[in-house]
Amino acid sequence: MQIEWRLRKVMASRDIWSATELRELLMQRVGFEISLQSVSDLVKKQPVQVKMATLQALCTTLQCTPNELFGIDTPRDVSLVEPDDAKSRDET
């Protein structure tokens, strides 16, 4: 499974084009203080982790849900049967 961080896409859909602009909106709309470097990192690359407070501030500011910020790509060949279950059925 792959998880895609879609912050840049969500920002673009709301005509927000820079980390500076997003940082200002975070302050204005929800009073959330975050460094410009941290916002820039969130915009430019997929984070390893996102604090709940940051996620809430982003969703409130951008008027979106976490589902819009995260895209999940699941493999198509995923089996719903556990390997051990398949083996035990073959033996019966």
Side-chain angles (χ1 to χ4, degrees):
M1 170 177 25
Q2 294 289 327
I3 298 175
E4 177 189 10
W5 180 237
R6 295 180 176 171
L7 177 59
R8 189 183 296 247
K9 290 178 184 178
V10 173
M11 288 171 56
S13 72
R14 287 146 175 84
D15 292 324
I16 302 167
W17 302 105
S18 71
T20 302
E21 188 177 358
L22 178 58
R23 182 175 182 259
E24 290 173 9
L25 288 172
L26 285 163
M27 276 295 300
Q28 290 172 2
R29 293 183 181 173
V30 293
F32 188 76
E33 290 191 42
I34 186 171
S35 71
L36 182 55
Q37 183 61 52
S38 294
V39 175
S40 182
D41 288 345
L42 285 171
V43 171
K44 291 181 182 178
K45 54 188 173 187
Q46 181 155 325
V48 174
Q49 62 184 4
V50 180
K51 291 181 181 180
M52 190 62 73
T54 304
L55 184 60
Q56 289 174 329
L58 287 169
C59 288
T60 301
T61 298
L62 298 170
Q63 298 177 336
C64 69
T65 67
N67 288 345
E68 292 174 83
L69 292 175
F70 294 99
I72 299 175
D73 181 27
T74 56
R76 293 177 187 231
D77 62 341
V78 174
S79 173
L80 297 177
V81 178
E82 294 292 323
D84 291 337
D85 291 343
K87 184 188 278 186
S88 65
R89 275 192 275 167
D90 290 340
E91 294 172 0
T92 58

